[in-house]
Amino acid sequence: YRGIFWIPDIEDVYSSDLYFPIPCDSNGNINDSDFEISPLMSSKGNDNYNHKNVWNSLSKKYTGGKPYDYYARGRIEIHNGTAFVYLSPHIPQDDLKKWLIDKFNLTSANGIKRIKFNPDYSKHYRCYLDNE
């Protein structure tokens, strides 16, 4: 799967249930004809989730009334058997790798040869931890 995620507690990555997978092949192509992303939750290309739109569709049970960019977050894109993970640099990669393999099924059996982390220090992935 590819998709987006949030990690509210960077000390306990496995406690997060804020992930939104998109079924795809090892090239990132959606491989489930029944799967459709709601236009209200999609990005401009309409084949990927948008953090802000998805967050705004969630209940306060999940968001805690915080804005979409409050918690550390990331995105997984898949190309040629490589899962590219774009994320807040505050998320511990060793813990996250296990969680991503589990939640997004990033296994060799599914054509994933490697996982490449791309910590994004830009404004795009800023979160509350950048203000501390």
Side-chain angles (χ1 to χ4, degrees):
Y1 296 92
R2 60 186 171 97
I4 62 173
F5 60 89
W6 283 267
I7 305 296
D9 182 356
I10 61 169
E11 300 296 321
D12 183 11
V13 170
Y14 260 88
S15 68
S16 178
D17 58 357
L18 290 168
Y19 59 97
F20 299 86
I22 299 169
C24 67
D25 63 18
S26 61
N27 285 311
N29 300 309
I30 295 176
N31 64 3
D32 183 344
S33 60
D34 294 329
F35 182 82
E36 189 174 326
I37 297 171
S38 163
L40 298 174
M41 297 168 65
S42 70
S43 64
K44 291 178 188 173
N46 208 26
D47 67 347
N48 218 341
Y49 287 123
N50 172 292
H51 278 101
K52 186 176 184 178
N53 293 349
V54 170
W55 192 258
N56 289 336
S57 74
L58 299 173
S59 74
K60 282 191 177 182
K61 170 185 171 186
Y62 295 104
T63 68
K66 307 283 188 205
Y68 84 96
D69 58 355
Y70 183 79
Y71 297 117
R73 64 194 178 285
R75 170 180 302 281
I76 300 169
E77 294 294 338
I78 297 176
H79 301 286
N80 298 323
T82 299
F84 295 93
V85 183
Y86 303 94
L87 70 157
S88 164
H90 297 288
I91 302 172
Q93 292 179 21
D94 288 340
D95 295 342
L96 184 65
K97 186 173 183 177
K98 295 172 195 165
W99 184 82
L100 290 174
I101 290 169
D102 183 38
K103 301 300 183 186
F104 286 86
N105 210 8
L106 303 176
T107 64
S108 59
N110 288 320
I112 302 302
K113 299 173 197 147
R114 70 183 188 141
I115 299 172
K116 183 171 177 13
F117 287 94
N118 296 297
D120 190 335
Y121 293 87
S122 75
K123 190 175 182 180
H124 185 74
Y125 280 105
R126 293 186 68 97
C127 67
Y128 79 96
L129 294 165
D130 291 297
N131 299 326
E132 293 183 343

